[in-house]
Amino acid sequence: MNMKRIFLSLIICCLSFSVSAKVVLPKMFGDNMVLQQQTECNIWGKADKGRTIVVITSWDKKSYSAPVDQDGNFSVKIQTPKAGGPYEITFAIAPSNSSSRNSSGLGLAFTLHNIMIGEVWICAGQSNMEMQMKGFKQQPVEGTTEELLRCKDSQLRLFTVKRHVSLTPEWDVTGQWNEANSASVRDFSATAYYFGKALRSMLDVPVGLIVTSWGGSACEAWMAPEWLKAFPKVNQHVTEEDMKKLQQRCPTALYYGQLKPLIGYTMKGAIWYQGEDNVPRYDFYAELLKTMVEGWRNDWKQGDFPFYYCQIAPYDYSLIQWKDSQYLREQQQKAETMISNARMAVLMDAGLEYGIHPRKKRQAGERLAILALANTYGQKGLPEFATYKEVTFQNDTAVVAFDRSKEWVYFEHGTTSKNFEVAGADHKFHPATKVWVSRNRVYVVCDKVKSPLAVRYAFKDWVDGDLMHDGLPVSSFRTDNW
């Protein structure tokens, strides 16, 4: 037994139980949790009003005290060390008579065990974030069988928030922390798992992932009512009947039900995979997402924390009687230029024509990890997502240039592509007849358009994206605004 455990054992032996004393913590504060390293972490809970809560941390043998207010709430900030563990945190209650307060008079509440200190990320969105490693019915995740044989990792910790809608702020969620193993990973978000696994590999520190998601959820559902006032197309007078009918599509219902209880849990950043439900309302999505992110950041009070998100993958939306998801993808690309400390992972090569839930979740998670590792953790040598910059016209040839393109752009399946279209003054697009690459330029010619004015790449619902840079796909784009 090490000295820290001996110290805690002595403290506990000295404590006298207070029968009436009771401390209640939200579910995300529990055994097996991960706390963000080298910072002041928020911890809060409920207890008898007027009492004082004492929190004892095993890593530094320090104790912290916090009063319980008249509503029965308390909060405390604890200092965390460099990544490591496992550790323990003990919660105790000081006697009501402050003049006789001492360690031997504390009322013991409980001790949290097997706590790791490392990197914590919030993982949110709709079905493609929610989709578990085991997949949905008749919709598998690629590589699950192999991954379940090698996923055991005691320093990767997983927490899934149970689905819940509410039109008033909830205090707690339902869920529990688990170490990564075949049983816990099987029922955990595949995208989030692959994200966390990549961080574990590259950073070599414990990683904690909190997933709060719901398939089919609207972006509006993850936003507070006051944020939505800027969007007149959104229902501003939501009722309980609306919530019962719309569930995860009801404005504010998931913000209050699944996000609000988590706000304040000290973390590094957030990842987001959502947008499919907003395809029919694509026209204001960039501004909507910007408002959501700014609202989260304001609530969390952790500054402009990193926000990385997936662009929705190609899919034939006519199968669900929708169309034009390329405009939603365009809005997602636009949002990257509007939101500080935010970047987008492109999935143009990882879609599924007949399924809105792509099987390639490893690509989604690892590409989000690339963004986090490069932009938040400063890892060198990782690839970048090239983005469309501009087009120039040389007689009958359109020349497309790209930003973030230190390397050559290229086509995944050969030396040319069938995913480019060209239009002239009549605004009618025709498939390109000749497409080639030279360094970070794509040259496009169409025999039917002698004087081109616009070029589009992969600008449709379903497409197998093939324009690549440094091993990563380039987003669909258009040079016009017609």
Side-chain angles (χ1 to χ4, degrees):
M1 182 180 295
N2 60 37
M3 292 302 297
K4 290 181 180 178
R5 288 186 177 275
I6 292 173
F7 171 80
L8 280 179
S9 297
L10 290 173
I11 289 286
I12 292 171
C13 287
C14 292
L15 300 177
S16 60
F17 277 87
S18 174
V19 176
S20 63
K22 183 179 181 182
V23 175
V24 178
L25 300 177
K27 299 295 191 306
M28 59 272 191
F29 299 116
D31 293 342
N32 308 314
M33 70 177 174
V34 179
L35 295 178
Q36 182 62 37
Q37 66 171 321
Q38 295 180 286
T39 189
E40 284 189 329
C41 283
N42 300 312
I43 293 182
W44 63 89
K46 293 182 178 294
D48 295 338
K49 65 181 181 180
R51 305 300 292 268
T52 297
I53 304 302
V54 178
V55 181
I56 306 166
T57 52
S58 73
W59 53 82
D60 55 9
K61 304 177 185 177
K62 286 186 177 181
S63 64
Y64 304 81
S65 62
V68 182
D69 66 21
Q70 291 303 302
D71 296 320
N73 298 307
F74 72 88
S75 63
V76 63
K77 292 181 180 290
I78 62 173
Q79 185 66 45
T80 54
K82 289 183 179 180
Y87 297 112
E88 295 178 346
I89 300 178
T90 296
F91 293 81
I93 301 177
S96 57
N97 184 351
S98 59
S99 62
S100 64
R101 186 179 303 156
N102 56 65
S103 61
S104 63
L106 294 176
L108 174 65
F110 53 83
T111 297
L112 301 182
H113 304 280
N114 196 26
I115 297 167
M116 303 303 291
I117 308 295
E119 295 297 301
V120 179
W121 286 80
I122 304 296
C123 315
Q126 59 178 109
S127 55
N128 278 307
M129 179 61 79
E130 182 183 42
M131 192 175 189
Q132 302 160 319
M133 283 292 290
K134 66 183 180 183
F136 296 140
K137 292 181 179 179
Q138 296 182 320
Q139 299 174 78
V141 170
E142 189 177 272
T144 292
T145 301
E146 295 81 1
E147 195 59 42
L148 292 179
L149 294 173
R150 58 176 70 94
C151 65
K152 186 176 181 180
D153 184 350
S154 64
Q155 295 193 52
L156 177 59
R157 306 293 176 84
L158 316 173
F159 187 102
T160 300
V161 173
K162 186 177 180 180
R163 292 175 169 184
H164 181 65
V165 291
S166 177
L167 291 185
T168 56
E170 295 287 356
W171 183 78
D172 201 359
V173 296
T174 300
Q176 67 178 37
W177 285 99
N178 293 293
E179 296 182 2
N181 54 49
S182 56
S184 62
V185 170
R186 179 180 176 83
D187 290 326
F188 191 71
S189 160
T191 295
Y193 165 75
Y194 280 115
F195 171 81
K197 180 184 177 182
L199 264 55
R200 280 278 301 121
S201 176
M202 293 292 285
L203 301 177
D204 195 25
V205 299
V207 172
L209 305 172
I210 300 176
V211 171
T212 180
S213 59
W214 190 332
S217 61
C219 184
E220 297 90 331
W222 297 97
M223 300 173 65
E226 57 269 26
W227 310 344
L228 292 171
K229 291 178 181 178
F231 304 97
K233 292 183 179 180
V234 179
N235 182 6
Q236 304 292 319
H237 305 286
V238 178
T239 65
E240 288 288 335
E241 192 61 33
D242 293 329
M243 187 184 72
K244 292 176 182 178
K245 179 180 178 181
L246 298 174
Q247 292 285 294
Q248 74 276 27
R249 292 181 170 87
C250 180
T252 79
L254 296 182
Y255 171 80
Y256 282 140
Q258 291 187 206
L259 188 77
K260 188 69 172 177
L262 305 176
I263 290 173
Y265 192 100
T266 308
M267 47 74 169
K268 192 68 171 185
I271 59 173
W272 172 257
Y273 193 164
Q274 190 277 340
E276 295 88 348
D277 186 74
N278 285 80
V279 166
R281 307 180 301 285
Y282 69 82
D283 55 314
F284 58 99
Y285 186 82
E287 190 62 44
L288 193 70
L289 186 63
K290 176 178 182 286
T291 301
M292 187 198 81
V293 174
E294 290 175 347
W296 286 17
R297 288 172 171 169
N298 185 63
D299 279 359
W300 239 283
K301 295 179 173 57
Q302 281 193 215
D304 287 354
F305 60 75
F307 184 85
Y308 303 118
Y309 61 100
C310 284
Q311 185 182 51
I312 61 172
Y315 159 67
D316 183 0
Y317 277 82
S318 69
L319 296 173
I320 57 173
Q321 298 181 334
W322 289 357
K323 63 177 182 177
D324 295 337
S325 60
Q326 65 270 28
Y327 292 103
L328 192 284
R329 296 198 302 264
E330 182 180 58
Q331 285 279 306
Q332 290 178 312
Q333 181 76 76
K334 180 181 178 182
E336 191 180 46
T337 68
M338 299 168 58
I339 307 171
S340 63
N341 201 17
R343 293 288 295 274
M344 183 182 77
V346 180
L347 301 176
M348 292 301 298
D349 61 336
L352 190 63
E353 181 177 7
Y354 55 85
I356 200 169
H357 303 122
R359 299 174 178 177
K360 297 181 178 181
K361 292 297 185 285
R362 178 179 62 81
Q363 287 84 339
E366 290 183 354
R367 288 171 186 174
L368 288 167
I370 286 171
L371 296 175
L373 289 165
N375 295 282
T376 298
Y377 297 106
Q379 297 281 326
K380 305 298 183 183
L382 294 171
E384 283 195 271
F385 290 96
T387 58
Y388 164 73
K389 179 182 180 181
E390 62 185 6
V391 62
T392 57
F393 300 99
Q394 301 173 1
N395 299 319
D396 66 344
T397 304
V399 183
V400 183
F402 300 89
D403 279 328
R404 304 181 196 156
S405 52
K406 298 177 182 177
E407 310 292 339
W408 286 56
V409 293
Y410 62 93
F411 298 121
E412 180 73 3
H413 308 300
T415 59
T416 190
S417 171
K418 296 181 179 179
N419 288 326
F420 284 83
E421 298 175 291
V422 182
D426 62 359
H427 292 194
K428 293 182 179 179
F429 282 87
H430 303 273
T433 51
K434 187 177 181 181
V435 181
W436 72 96
V437 165
S438 178
R439 296 189 179 277
N440 63 349
R441 299 287 191 273
V442 174
Y443 295 78
V444 186
V445 173
C446 177
D447 291 344
K448 294 182 178 180
V449 183
K450 299 303 181 182
S451 299
L453 293 179
V455 176
R456 292 182 175 184
Y457 162 70
F459 209 71
K460 56 186 69 175
D461 275 332
W462 163 248
V463 62
D464 184 10
D466 58 358
L467 179 59
M468 309 289 288
H469 168 261
D470 210 8
L472 298 175
V474 177
S475 172
S476 53
F477 62 84
R478 57 175 175 156
T479 69
D480 64 276
N481 61 357
W482 300 337

